[in-house]
């Protein structure tokens, strides 16, 4: 039976999950995989935490050097997160020829080419299933299951924290602040929730996923990012009345003008399968030219779901002699790829305007002048004396045209304010 030793760097939620799966299922992996996998080292400052998980004292390393020089360690699992010291640790492991398995999406989104170069040099494996969508095997699907396809689009709900918050706002009528507080109480949102609620986490993930989908390095500066902290419950409710559900969608698309990648609150039709992905669940919808549509659904975070992705990478690595790397030129500045930043989409607008005759005509006239075609207009119920609230949805137009139009509308004396702008994906 093939024996293999693993080191775990960081024993937080995910590290604990990896340790638990590997130890609880040692016999199961012997039987199902013909592999005897043991944890040979952990690197964790909080020794109490390591001991409480049942790890023997002599396996708790005090430095990365100790880990990478341990001949019993074949695979190093990095689950610390953030850039440093993770980057230094991962590079040291790769330099020593150890295969690395990581869940670190920020490190991967920002430094993937450098890590891959280091791995190639020593022919070490570099695996990252757990960087995106936790337990959902999206990376392996893209690399090993979609080779016959020119992928047209990838759309997903890839951040559980924001999906939980939006679900509570949509179905329980919570304000953003109330929903965030509850997410923090349940441990879904961090004390400082910025990375999740401002869309950074989803940006890292869609940068990795769309690189694989479109065979070019999509750096994070190519991703348009807007979070959910300005989402107003009013827009969620008006959207519902019009048959839309609001989600923080990550979108990668191949268009005639280039690749466009974005993360922002988005109205999708309520019958779209992504609309029923609720609470902290994640889902990814892919369209390939051969296979058509594929959708994967599951838990994007948590100790055992993310641990599941990491352990599947460990087993995959142990079952392959030669490792392969990204199938595309993984460079920061791949000039052969064309990107489109001025994307084309539909819009929902909410305006507070003067409640008097002729105002609607003036507003729709201003929008028409910008060559933007209106799809639906509706005036909501009474706001306050002399003021009316108007909802407008448009056909597809360029983002730049819409921004100019919003500026124009804001300057009109009949318009008090443009209060809501939401993109619509049909
Ligand atoms: N913070 C992430 C989320 C989980 O809320 O989905 C880890 O990627």
């Amino acid at each position: 039976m093939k024996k293999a030793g693993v080191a775990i760097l960081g024993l937080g939620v995910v590290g604990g999950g990896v340790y638990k799966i590997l130890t609880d299922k040692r016999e199961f992996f012997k039987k199902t995989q013909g592999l005897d996998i043991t944890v040979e080292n952990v690197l964790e400052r909080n020794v109490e935490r390591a001991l409480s998980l049942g790890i023997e004292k002599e396996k708790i390393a005090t430095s990365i050097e100790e880990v990478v020089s341990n001949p019993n360690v074949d695979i190093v699992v990095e689950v610390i997160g953030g850039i440093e010291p993770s980057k230094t640790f991962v590079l040291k492991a790769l330099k020593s020829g150890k295969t690395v398995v990581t869940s670190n999406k920020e490190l991967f989104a920002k430094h993937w080419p450098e890590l891959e170069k280091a791995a190639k040099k020593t022919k070490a494996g570099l695996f990252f299933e757990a960087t995106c969508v936790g337990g959902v095997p999206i990376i392996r699907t893209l690399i090993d299951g979609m080779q016959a396809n020119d992928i047209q689009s990838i759309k997903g709900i890839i951040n559980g924290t924001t999906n939980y918050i939006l679900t509570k706002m949509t179905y329980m009528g919570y304000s953003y602040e109330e929903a965030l507080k509850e997410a923090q109480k349940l441990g879904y949102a961090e004390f400082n929730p910025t990375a999740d609620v401002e869309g950074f986490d989803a940006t890292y993930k869609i940068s990795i996923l769309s690189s694989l989908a479109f065979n070019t390095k999509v750096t994070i500066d190519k991703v348009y990012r807007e979070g959910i902290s300005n989402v107003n419950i009013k827009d969620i409710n008006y959207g519902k009345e019009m048959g839309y559900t609001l989600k923080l969608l990550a979108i990668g698309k191949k268009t005639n003008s280039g690749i466009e990648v974005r993360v922002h609150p988005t109205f999708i039709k309520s019958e779209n399968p992504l609309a029923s992905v609720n609470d902290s669940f994640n889902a990814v919808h892919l369209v390939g030219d051969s296979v058509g549509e594929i959708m994967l659904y599951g838990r994007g975070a948590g100790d055992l779901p993310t641990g599941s992705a990491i352990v599947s990478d460990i087993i995959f690595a142990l079952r392959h002699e030669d490792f392969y790397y990204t199938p595309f030129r993984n460079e920061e500045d791949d000039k052969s790829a064309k990107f489109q930043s001025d994307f084309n989409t539909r819009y929902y607008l909410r305006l507070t305007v003067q409640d008097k005759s002729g105002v609607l005509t003036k507003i729709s006239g201003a929008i028409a002048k910008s060559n933007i075609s209106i799809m639906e207009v509706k005036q909501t119920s009474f706001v306050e004396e002399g003021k009316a609230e108007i909802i407008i949805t448009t056909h597809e137009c360029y983002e730049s045209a819409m921004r100019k139009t919003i500026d124009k509308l804001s300057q009109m004396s009949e318009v008090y304010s443009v209060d809501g702008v939401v993109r619509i994906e049909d």
Side-chain angles (χ1 to χ4, degrees):
M1 178 159 325
K2 184 169 173 178
K3 280 179 171 291
V6 170
I8 306 174
L9 313 182
L11 283 178
V13 174
V14 178
V18 174
Y19 182 76
K20 184 169 168 44
I21 295 176
L22 287 178
T23 46
D24 289 0
K25 294 195 164 162
R26 184 170 171 190
E27 293 306 315
F28 177 75
F29 294 140
K30 280 188 193 168
K31 205 163 97 189
T32 59
Q33 308 295 326
L35 295 169
D36 183 15
I37 309 168
T38 50
V39 176
E40 293 296 324
N41 266 153
V42 295
L43 188 59
E44 167 61 48
R45 263 185 307 196
N46 185 346
V47 174
E48 287 309 311
R49 161 84 177 151
L51 294 173
S52 74
L53 288 172
I55 297 166
E56 296 111 303
K57 220 170 167 192
E58 58 276 15
K59 293 201 168 167
I60 308 173
T62 51
S63 71
I64 186 67
E65 283 72 24
E66 200 181 318
V67 174
V68 300
S69 61
N70 183 346
N72 296 329
V73 170
D74 304 290
I75 295 183
V76 175
V77 172
E78 185 274 310
V79 280
I80 301 167
I83 302 298
E84 284 299 349
S86 305
K87 188 178 170 211
T88 303
F89 289 0
V90 165
L91 286 172
K92 282 194 174 167
L94 293 171
K95 246 186 210 157
S96 318
K98 311 271 188 208
T99 282
V100 168
V101 174
T102 180
S103 62
N104 194 331
K105 63 213 131 216
E106 183 179 0
L107 178 64
F108 236 74
K110 293 183 178 169
H111 299 288
W112 185 359
E114 188 182 341
L115 304 181
E116 188 164 279
K117 255 183 217 139
K120 277 180 177 167
K121 234 183 193 167
T122 59
K123 295 193 162 60
L126 181 60
F127 292 88
F128 52 99
E129 181 64 71
T131 57
C132 298
V133 205
V136 178
I138 180 67
I139 304 277
R140 190 134 317 119
T141 298
L142 283 167
I143 297 179
D144 290 323
M146 299 284 285
Q147 296 97 324
N149 291 272
D150 184 359
I151 296 176
Q152 309 297 309
S153 69
I154 174 162
K155 292 183 191 172
I157 295 167
I158 57 177
N159 180 270
T161 307
T162 47
N163 202 35
Y164 179 84
I165 292 171
L166 292 178
T167 302
K168 290 293 153 197
M169 292 175 77
T170 304
Y171 298 105
M172 308 286 284
Y174 286 18
S175 67
Y176 168 76
E177 287 73 21
E178 287 166 339
L180 171 61
K181 223 179 239 170
E182 181 155 315
Q184 283 170 321
K185 210 168 79 190
L186 293 172
Y188 291 141
E190 311 258 345
F191 175 68
N192 176 356
T194 309
D196 290 314
V197 299
E198 298 304 347
F200 290 101
D201 176 82
T203 296
Y204 300 147
K205 292 170 183 166
I206 196 70
S207 131
I208 298 168
L209 294 175
S210 48
S211 297
L212 291 170
F214 305 128
N215 291 296
T216 184
K217 173 79 177 106
V218 178
T219 48
I220 51 175
D221 60 297
K222 296 280 190 325
V223 184
Y224 174 81
R225 176 189 55 80
E226 204 178 292
I228 64 160
S229 57
N230 290 323
V231 167
N232 191 315
I233 182 85
K234 265 190 174 185
D235 297 314
I236 291 185
N237 290 335
Y238 289 139
K240 257 203 239 173
E241 286 170 19
M242 300 167 94
Y244 295 114
T245 303
L246 191 79
K247 293 290 181 190
L248 182 71
L249 221 60
I251 302 167
K253 266 189 200 171
K254 213 175 230 179
T255 73
N256 290 336
S257 353
I259 296 165
E260 63 178 53
V261 190
R262 44 196 166 100
V263 170
H264 52 67
T266 312
F267 275 137
I268 50 177
K269 286 258 169 69
S270 299
E271 59 267 23
N272 182 322
L274 286 172
S276 52
V277 176
N278 286 322
D279 295 315
S280 61
F281 277 91
N282 285 199
V284 182
H285 177 270
L286 294 166
V287 179
D289 63 347
S290 301
V291 72
E293 293 182 76
I294 289 185
M295 192 158 138
L296 292 128
Y297 169 91
R299 289 223 173 265
D303 56 352
L304 299 182
T306 312
S308 158
I310 288 175
V311 172
S312 95
D313 270 351
I314 293 173
I315 290 172
F316 189 93
L318 293 172
R319 288 170 58 177
H320 289 80
E321 295 294 329
D322 283 327
F323 300 118
Y324 56 75
Y325 304 94
T326 44
F328 56 89
R329 228 174 70 213
N330 196 354
E331 285 167 16
E332 293 291 344
D333 197 13
D334 180 3
K335 292 267 190 305
S336 63
K338 203 167 127 202
F339 288 91
Q340 162 72 326
S341 55
D342 192 9
F343 44 87
N344 205 19
T345 186
R346 292 186 53 217
Y347 287 85
Y348 153 106
L349 304 176
R350 175 167 57 88
L351 286 75
T352 304
V353 301
Q354 285 179 1
D355 193 10
K356 65 175 193 192
S357 70
V359 168
L360 210 53
T361 316
K362 270 199 161 170
I363 290 171
S364 39
I367 295 177
K369 252 198 190 150
S370 316
N371 272 329
I372 294 175
S373 168
I374 291 174
M375 195 158 177
E376 220 178 321
V377 179
K378 91 182 210 180
Q379 181 166 338
T380 68
S381 49
F382 180 78
V383 184
E384 66 179 83
E385 201 55 51
K387 287 188 180 177
E389 197 165 45
I390 291 176
I391 307 294
I392 297 170
T393 62
T394 72
H395 287 279
E396 277 190 1
C397 67
Y398 280 104
E399 174 87 3
S400 56
M402 179 49 80
R403 281 178 197 249
K404 270 189 211 148
T405 307
I406 291 170
D407 281 349
K408 240 197 289 177
L409 292 173
S410 310
Q411 281 160 25
M412 287 170 64
S413 57
E414 294 82 359
V415 176
Y416 290 115
S417 47
V418 179
D419 304 308
V421 180
V422 184
R423 297 169 189 88
I424 304 172
E425 275 292 308
D426 276 341

